[in-house]
Amino acid sequence: MRSDLMKKGIHRAPHRSLLYALGLTEEEISKPIIGIVNTANEIIPGHIHLHQIAAAAKAGVRAEGGTPLEFPTIGVCDGIAMDHVGMKYSLGSRELIADSVETVAMALPFDGLVLIPNCDKVVPGMLIAAMRLNIPAIVVSGGPMLAGEFNGKKVALDTVFEAVGEIKTGKITDEELSVLESCACPGLGSCSGLYTANTMNCLVEALGIGLPGNGTIPGVMADRIRLAKNAGKTIMARVGDNLCPRDIMKKEAFHNAISVDMAVGGSTNTALHLLAIAYYGEVNLGLEDFDRISQKVPHLCNLSPAGPDHMEDLHRAGGISAVIKELARGEFINTELLTVTGKTVGEVIADAQIKDSSVITSIEKPKHPTGGLTVLYGNLAPEGGIVKSAAVVPEMMTHEGPARVFETEEDAVDAILEGKIHPGDVIVIRYEGPKGGPGMREMLSPTSAVAGVGLDRSVALITDGRFSGATRGAAIGHISPEAASGGPIVAVREGDPIEIDITNKRITLKVPDNEITKRLEKIKNEGPGKPKIDHGYMYRYSQLVSSASKGAVFPL
């Protein structure tokens, strides 16, 4: 056992003495020791209940003859961090989470890990750690929040963000906003739409590193507790046969995950996180894989913010297992891959079925014939940009308009809410990428403001930053190379015509090539400006992080 490094032999007497200090018995020390990585805290709604999930996982470990020992790591709530300096620290927390798990698990050699995340950067951070460590591991998340209800309709966090813009145009009153904000997020769990957290928790299933139901069982359900107990039992089996994350999350498993991502219309942030998880596991994955798979996999679900359904509806309709089975019917899934259950994908989904075809459609009658995410290329984004095409209205699939250039998210939001943006405009927000932000802020506030003031059918937004999974509209993020690295987005000037063609996957700055080259040379000669954060962790992050097109990763 790996834990023998800290407990076996005469030279480990001092180590055993410290284990006895924990109150462990000799019998407990002799058993496989399982690390329970718990991200519970009192500031993230998706994590407020994770002590309960951890307790259930520990019960499962003990039931199968193991000794569970819990340790924590950090988490950030993207919704609370949104639209202020706090969001600069969100993406950077992913690497901190991975580093902290790796550090503890290398210093204190566990035989296996149960990883308990729930929200945006915590899930990929845990998966990165699993790939780096490559010891038996399983992910069991805290589950999604139930949708709220307002004026007889289901609502979620994106509804509240859009209401901020609606106040400005008189669509709702201050009193209505007060009621809405108090009921849109009714309790514990990761926010109820198919935002980044829930997308990643669904892809945990598709990658094969979590149990069926991980992505969709609501956090308030007793089934979530049983799932955690089963995860604890399962990790003991994986310690027994030494089936490790890199045995499960192979390149073909990432292709399965991208296929599921396209079918459900997941968050654009998966283009960062899947690339990063693969990179840290030395799996060769690129945006071209997203592009290729998006062309052939149909879009089967219209989940909030793209449509009316929420995670509870997807769960009721059969969950991710039903989606995978439907995709497998069209040969979009490799069913021979091993999963953390010890069974193949095909065996795991054998009994799955679509229980509500209005939520999960058939491959013959999809919501859209191609995937829910689209990668765009062009002279404005040589390394690519990405849009949640499933959440774009038909009339904005192609668009041309004048650039309205902003150097920060805050300036853009002010302009939108002050009525300075007009139908046809293309909002450009730059210097918000991984290096330039630093931290590549999510921008739910500007996209929600555009929708709230009624411009989402006539205004596009592009950025070298990124968008929340709650974003809808013609919002193209991850423009690479970013402005801080001298990418072409830095050459855009106020009024320049920009053409967006999502159908044909192109984004073009309609300025002569020689003029773009001249502008870029001038900017290069002027030299880089002062970093927006010039001290501490995020300054160090800005010096190390790669392009968004590579997953915003650190050197191996």
Side-chain angles (χ1 to χ4, degrees):
M1 291 189 292
R2 189 170 180 268
S3 61
D4 286 348
L5 289 171
M6 64 179 175
K7 69 185 187 185
K8 191 171 183 180
I10 192 169
H11 297 297
R12 297 296 181 258
H15 306 62
R16 290 192 296 275
S17 181
L18 291 167
L19 293 173
Y20 282 126
L22 302 175
L24 297 178
T25 65
E26 183 177 1
E27 181 185 17
E28 287 174 312
I29 293 171
S30 69
K31 294 176 178 180
I33 295 180
I34 307 300
I36 310 294
V37 192
N38 187 0
T39 54
N41 61 55
E42 295 183 348
I43 188 62
I44 306 177
H47 291 229
I48 190 74
H49 63 305
L50 294 190
H51 286 307
Q52 192 176 14
I53 301 297
K58 287 188 279 188
V61 169
R62 292 191 186 100
E64 296 299 313
T67 298
L69 296 176
E70 183 178 333
F71 67 94
T73 187
I74 66 165
V76 170
C77 177
D78 279 26
I80 297 173
M82 198 75 66
D83 196 27
H84 59 84
V85 70
M87 181 48 73
K88 293 177 182 289
Y89 287 79
S90 176
L91 182 58
S93 74
R94 186 187 70 185
E95 266 59 31
L96 279 176
I97 291 161
D99 287 351
S100 66
V101 176
E102 178 186 359
T103 297
V104 176
M106 288 301 295
L108 307 171
F110 297 99
D111 296 301
L113 295 173
V114 178
L115 303 164
I116 306 175
N118 211 29
C119 289
D120 291 39
K121 309 310 166 297
V122 189
V123 182
M126 294 283 200
L127 290 171
I128 288 168
M131 280 293 227
R132 287 186 194 166
L133 290 162
N134 202 34
I135 64 173
I138 188 170
V139 175
V140 56
S141 304
M145 187 185 291
L146 296 176
E149 186 173 315
F150 178 70
N151 288 343
K153 295 182 179 180
K154 285 185 177 181
V155 294
L157 185 64
D158 61 302
T159 318
V160 188
F161 271 95
E162 291 186 11
V164 174
E166 292 174 347
I167 280 279
K168 295 291 183 178
T169 58
K171 291 182 181 178
I172 66 170
T173 65
D174 289 345
E175 291 75 17
E176 286 175 314
L177 178 60
S178 180
V179 173
L180 174 61
E181 70 183 54
S182 68
C183 69
C185 298
L188 62 83
S190 48
C191 296
S192 60
L194 189 64
Y195 313 148
T196 303
N198 289 327
T199 303
M200 289 305 305
N201 283 329
C202 290
L203 298 191
V204 163
E205 290 186 51
L207 285 167
I209 198 68
L211 300 180
N214 182 77
T216 60
I217 298 172
V220 297
M221 283 190 173
D223 276 349
R224 179 62 57 175
I225 300 300
R226 283 186 279 273
L227 185 78
K229 288 179 180 177
N230 287 330
K233 292 180 178 180
T234 300
I235 193 60
M236 292 301 296
R238 301 294 72 82
V239 169
D241 60 21
N242 199 38
L243 184 66
C244 296
R246 294 193 189 193
D247 301 321
I248 296 167
M249 292 188 284
K250 297 180 177 180
K251 185 165 186 174
E252 295 82 1
F254 281 95
H255 290 170
N256 280 357
I258 295 171
S259 293
V260 170
D261 195 12
M262 296 302 166
V264 298
S267 166
T268 54
N269 285 312
T270 58
L272 281 176
H273 299 321
L274 289 181
L275 293 182
I277 296 159
Y279 167 81
Y280 288 116
E282 300 181 85
V283 174
N284 182 24
L285 194 74
L287 275 180
E288 61 274 11
D289 292 287
F290 280 80
D291 190 37
R292 175 178 55 80
I293 292 171
S294 74
Q295 293 181 44
K296 64 178 185 177
V297 175
H299 175 221
L300 307 182
C301 306
N302 256 356
L303 297 162
S304 175
D309 297 321
H310 293 76
M311 298 307 296
E312 62 205 65
D313 301 304
L314 179 58
H315 180 63
R316 173 179 51 79
I320 293 301
S321 289
V323 173
I324 293 173
K325 189 169 185 179
E326 184 64 14
L327 291 176
R329 198 167 64 80
E331 300 185 350
F332 300 118
I333 292 289
N334 184 330
T335 59
E336 300 301 314
L337 301 178
L338 267 181
T339 72
V340 75
T341 65
K343 300 176 181 178
T344 66
V345 172
E347 291 171 327
V348 169
I349 63 172
D351 297 327
Q353 57 180 306
I354 296 174
K355 300 175 183 177
D356 186 339
S357 60
S358 70
V359 179
I360 306 171
T361 66
S362 69
I363 56 175
E364 288 84 11
K365 297 181 179 180
K367 304 290 185 182
H368 300 95
T370 57
L373 301 180
T374 301
V375 182
L376 309 181
Y377 293 96
N379 68 349
L380 193 52
E383 293 179 7
I386 194 159
V387 61
K388 190 170 186 174
S389 47
V392 179
V393 294
E395 56 263 44
M396 289 300 292
M397 292 297 285
T398 58
H399 179 81
E400 182 174 339
R404 302 297 309 280
V405 182
F406 302 92
E407 310 298 334
T408 69
E409 175 187 3
E410 290 87 349
D411 289 346
V413 172
D414 288 345
I416 297 164
L417 296 180
E418 291 169 8
K420 297 178 180 178
I421 301 298
H422 308 290
D425 286 349
V426 178
I427 300 168
V428 178
I429 306 176
R430 60 191 180 194
Y431 290 104
E432 291 286 8
K435 291 181 181 292
M440 201 182 185
R441 287 195 285 183
E442 281 189 350
M443 298 189 195
L444 182 54
S445 291
T447 55
S448 297
V450 166
V453 299
L455 291 173
D456 54 307
R457 292 177 177 269
S458 60
V459 167
L461 195 158
I462 68 171
T463 181
D464 54 6
R466 61 195 175 94
F467 295 112
S468 166
T471 288
R472 64 184 176 92
I476 299 99
H478 303 212
I479 298 292
S480 300
E482 64 175 290
S485 295
I489 191 172
V490 80
V492 180
R493 292 182 181 170
E494 187 79 8
D496 283 347
I498 293 176
E499 182 181 30
I500 297 164
D501 186 347
I502 297 172
T503 303
N504 292 305
K505 304 181 180 183
R506 301 295 298 172
I507 183 165
T508 307
L509 176 61
K510 300 188 77 174
V511 172
D513 290 345
N514 61 343
E515 174 61 20
I516 295 173
T517 300
K518 184 166 66 176
R519 293 180 189 179
L520 290 174
E521 282 297 321
K522 182 177 184 295
I523 293 165
K524 182 179 179 181
N525 291 336
E526 290 171 351
K530 182 181 178 182
K532 291 181 181 176
I533 296 178
D534 59 6
H535 62 283
Y537 172 67
M538 287 312 297
Y539 173 73
R540 298 195 303 275
Y541 178 93
S542 72
Q543 303 304 297
L544 289 171
V545 70
S546 76
S547 167
S549 64
K550 302 292 190 292
V553 294
F554 287 176
L556 285 174

